[in-house]
Amino acid sequence: MKKSTYFQLSFMMFLEFFIWGGWFVTLGTFMGNNLSASGGEIAQAFSTQSWGAIIAPFIIGLIADRFFNAERILGILHVVGAGLMYMMYTADDVASFYPYTLGYMIAYMPTLALVNSVAFNQMNDPSKEFPRVRVFGTIGWIVAGLVISFVFAWDSKENIAAGMLQNTFLMVGIASAILGVFSFALPKTPPSVGKDQKVSLSDILGLEALKLLKDRNFLVFFLSSVLICIPLAFYYQNLSPFLTEGGVENSTAMTTVGQISEAVFILLLPFFFKKYGFKKTILVGMLAWAVRYLLFAFGDMDGLFFMVITGVVLHGICYDFFFVSGQIYTDSKAGDKAKSAAQGLITLATYGVGMLVGFYIAGKVVDANLLGEGSHDWKQIWLFPAGFAAVVMVLFAVLFKNEKVEYQD
């Protein structure tokens, strides 16, 4: 891969995840303070990610894979996204804010697959080249949090009260416009499916992989993946409000510790996977979910703040040891013919259905533990996902029979 192509793909990844991290992390805090949203209304806004994940396969399968170059679709979706971000920036109540958020996520979620398509199409050895490009996405997410906290200080107590988090949407809208225009200069990535080639609903949704559910182990893993997304939704939806309500300054920058941890633990995953096997790796990931929420429940923003920080750092184990290991397991079980279908089915089930249910439950739990104006019983809120993750872990440990899974470098 030429250096110029490497730069283009890295900049694409940087902006792709700078955009996501630049508004999604602080969304709950913004809605609670600027729009006086309830926990249920905040949950609805977060659930737009799930609706986007459910709709994305249709955009990719029916349009991007058949009729247009991937980089052109990517550019159009980000330009549209820039306009929707500006409308979110100008919205002054939940009723007007939500439709733009839904529209934005329907436009954004397909771009996650498109940037991968553009990148893979330029690589001779994706297993070695892709990580060097994808890491810039993690860097982009981290930089977005640092900019919000340390460059503009929009998440300081005074600026949150003044409504300054609204500016995150303007910042992200500008970044989205830049990526939209830049995408048209990316290397050409032609359609992967001929216009005349028939594509069925089963192909688009990965339903061919449903036959894998006949395997008891895969069925247990599949259901566990959907269920563990419920605790995951609590993290995405509630971490920022939890920190800001507790008076933590620069809370957005602090959440980026989780992304740094993710980058570190993904490097440790091959060693752990090869030494201890798939089942133990997955169980450690599930245990980390339960421990993290217990740390949040019993920690505080004063003398026990180290417990909260530790809970954020555990994000790397929570995500990598479960979801990345799960992708490897799915790949090994599916075989060459059904690999794409199986990965698509898992994505649809987790980020689509699992997270949708998770955000709904998280909103209900938060509203049930409202103490007063802008105050919540966070101990009770965090104990729910801690207990839920522990139950899923026990069920997986009992029902999943150990099997050897090779780690694919």
Side-chain angles (χ1 to χ4, degrees):
M1 183 169 45
K2 295 186 296 185
K3 284 187 176 180
S4 59
T5 302
Y6 174 69
F7 168 78
Q8 286 179 299
L9 299 180
S10 299
F11 187 60
M12 172 190 72
M13 284 292 183
F14 177 89
L15 286 178
E16 177 75 12
F17 288 90
F18 177 92
I19 289 166
W20 199 359
W23 71 281
F24 203 66
V25 174
T26 57
L27 176 61
T29 300
F30 164 78
M31 291 188 68
N33 287 272
N34 284 49
L35 306 181
S36 301
S38 66
E41 288 170 332
I42 293 172
Q44 283 187 317
F46 273 96
S47 69
T48 59
Q49 172 190 273
S50 301
W51 289 118
I54 291 169
I55 295 170
F58 293 94
I59 295 176
I60 300 299
L62 292 175
I63 302 175
D65 281 350
R66 302 187 67 193
F67 298 107
F68 301 101
N69 282 18
E71 80 280 0
R72 293 178 183 176
I73 298 288
L74 181 68
I76 292 169
L77 290 175
H78 274 299
V79 169
V80 170
L84 289 167
M85 268 291 156
Y86 180 77
M87 299 309 295
M88 291 162 68
Y89 168 71
T90 60
D92 56 7
D93 56 47
V94 174
S96 58
F97 182 79
Y98 176 78
Y100 297 128
T101 310
L102 178 60
Y104 179 79
M105 273 309 200
I106 290 173
Y108 178 81
M109 292 306 287
T111 68
L112 295 172
L114 289 169
V115 292
N116 288 344
S117 295
V118 172
F120 282 128
N121 196 58
Q122 308 307 315
M123 295 176 179
N124 297 317
D125 188 355
S127 64
K128 291 183 178 179
E129 294 173 308
F130 185 71
R132 293 192 293 119
V133 169
R134 176 58 182 81
V135 71
F136 281 91
T138 302
I139 293 171
W141 186 295
I142 292 169
V143 169
L146 297 178
V147 167
I148 290 170
S149 289
F150 296 128
V151 176
F152 298 115
W154 289 331
D155 59 352
S156 67
K157 289 180 68 174
E158 296 79 9
N159 285 337
I160 289 174
M164 298 297 284
L165 280 177
Q166 179 184 27
N167 293 322
T168 59
F169 302 105
L170 184 60
M171 175 185 74
V172 166
I174 293 171
S176 187
I178 292 171
L179 180 53
V181 174
F182 179 76
S183 294
F184 290 98
L186 288 168
K188 292 182 179 180
T189 306
S192 58
V193 179
K195 293 181 182 180
D196 299 326
Q197 188 174 337
K198 290 184 178 181
V199 179
S200 67
L201 181 63
S202 176
D203 294 330
I204 293 170
L205 298 180
L207 299 183
E208 178 189 349
L210 284 175
K211 61 186 178 184
L212 292 172
L213 299 180
K214 295 178 181 178
D215 181 297
R216 172 178 162 164
N217 262 6
F218 190 81
L219 176 62
V220 171
F221 161 72
F222 180 84
L223 294 176
S224 298
S225 297
V226 175
L227 291 174
I228 208 69
C229 283
I230 293 174
L232 175 60
F234 274 78
Y235 180 76
Y236 285 139
Q237 184 171 315
N238 294 319
L239 181 60
S240 179
F242 169 58
L243 295 174
T244 55
E245 193 174 303
V248 176
E249 295 284 355
N250 305 318
S251 61
T252 313
M254 203 197 86
T255 64
T256 64
V257 174
Q259 272 61 50
I260 297 171
S261 167
E262 185 183 325
V264 171
F265 279 105
I266 202 167
L267 298 176
L268 298 176
L269 181 61
F271 166 78
F272 202 96
F273 200 101
K274 291 176 180 178
K275 185 173 178 61
Y276 297 105
F278 171 71
K279 183 174 181 179
K280 289 181 180 178
T281 302
I282 286 282
L283 286 173
V284 168
M286 289 180 173
L287 178 62
W289 285 106
V291 171
R292 153 195 271 178
Y293 292 128
L294 288 174
L295 289 169
F296 287 168
F298 292 100
D300 59 43
M301 306 306 169
D302 297 313
L304 298 177
F305 188 55
F306 75 94
M307 294 174 67
V308 176
I309 290 287
T310 303
V312 177
V313 170
L314 282 175
H315 180 70
I317 298 178
C318 291
Y319 188 85
D320 293 333
F321 279 41
F322 188 90
F323 287 100
V324 178
S325 293
Q327 290 167 0
I328 296 166
Y329 177 67
T330 301
D331 191 72
S332 71
K333 296 290 284 188
D336 291 335
K337 291 185 71 175
K339 281 184 179 182
S340 295
Q343 295 291 355
L345 180 64
I346 287 289
T347 301
L348 185 68
T350 53
Y351 282 95
V353 178
M355 293 287 279
L356 187 64
V357 174
F359 286 130
Y360 175 80
I361 293 175
K364 291 292 185 183
V365 171
V366 168
D367 281 342
N369 289 282
L370 179 64
L371 298 177
E373 187 69 28
S375 177
H376 297 84
D377 184 347
W378 286 106
K379 180 179 179 180
Q380 293 303 315
I381 291 171
W382 292 125
L383 283 176
F384 183 93
F388 198 96
V391 170
V392 176
M393 179 185 70
V394 171
L395 290 175
F396 183 85
V398 172
L399 298 175
F400 188 92
K401 294 181 179 180
N402 203 14
E403 64 177 297
K404 187 175 181 181
V405 179
E406 294 294 333
Y407 185 92
Q408 300 287 327
D409 287 313

